[in-house]
Amino acid sequence: MNKITLILVLGLVSLWGAQMHSYKEAVSLQKQTKKTILLGVVRTGCHYCEDMEKNFFSDPEMLKYLDDKFIMAKVNISDEKLPLGLKVNFTPTFFILDSDLKVIKTIPGSWNKQDFKDLTEKIK
């Protein structure tokens, strides 16, 4: 029973460690941490967005990688406007923003975990 409790607690800690923030929260956190922002743009009913949420952002190893490297934020364009005058042709699209909130990389589309790591590995 203790092993099960430990596994559950570690799972919750890893999920809590990697949070999706609003854009405004991410900007505020960036001022404190100096991390780059990974801004995910989704829309309601987007099949590819849902697939990434289920298969990608629920993976504890991937969440740790992302949390160590980025402040993660999400904007649902069905409910809110994109900040900074950003535009997307389809969802999901990911923008990586530096400390001046300049886009340093745009990653359009749905990706598997390894490809996404490869695309973001050299970003500081």
Side-chain angles (χ1 to χ4, degrees):
M1 187 61 131
N2 288 339
K3 287 182 183 179
I4 292 172
T5 303
L6 178 62
I7 290 169
L8 288 173
V9 167
L10 289 175
L12 288 173
V13 166
S14 69
L15 287 175
W16 286 337
Q19 293 182 316
M20 280 289 182
H21 300 280
S22 71
Y23 172 72
K24 287 181 182 180
E25 290 170 337
V27 170
S28 178
L29 284 169
Q30 187 183 50
K31 290 175 184 172
Q32 299 166 19
T33 65
K34 306 299 183 210
K35 283 185 179 179
T36 53
I37 294 174
L38 173 65
L39 178 63
V41 180
V42 300
R43 68 176 166 78
T44 303
C46 168
H47 170 71
Y48 298 106
C49 302
E50 292 167 2
D51 282 352
M52 281 197 78
E53 185 76 32
K54 184 174 81 175
N55 299 317
F56 186 90
F57 290 110
S58 63
D59 179 90
E61 181 183 323
M62 191 65 187
L63 288 175
K64 179 171 179 0
Y65 168 80
L66 293 170
D67 190 50
D68 288 347
K69 194 164 191 64
F70 303 108
I71 298 167
M72 294 187 300
K74 180 166 60 171
V75 172
N76 184 330
I77 58 173
S78 298
D79 302 326
E80 55 191 305
K81 286 184 165 189
L82 280 175
L84 305 171
L86 298 171
K87 302 212 183 299
V88 296
N89 293 320
F90 53 86
T91 56
T93 295
F94 300 90
F95 295 99
I96 299 174
L97 309 172
D98 69 11
S99 59
D100 296 322
L101 301 179
K102 302 282 187 238
V103 176
I104 56 175
K105 187 165 189 128
T106 302
I107 305 171
S110 180
W111 298 86
N112 68 43
K113 291 176 261 193
Q114 188 57 54
D115 288 343
F116 199 84
K117 276 185 177 180
D118 291 345
L119 289 166
T120 59
E121 202 165 41
K122 294 181 182 170
I123 297 169
K124 294 183 183 189

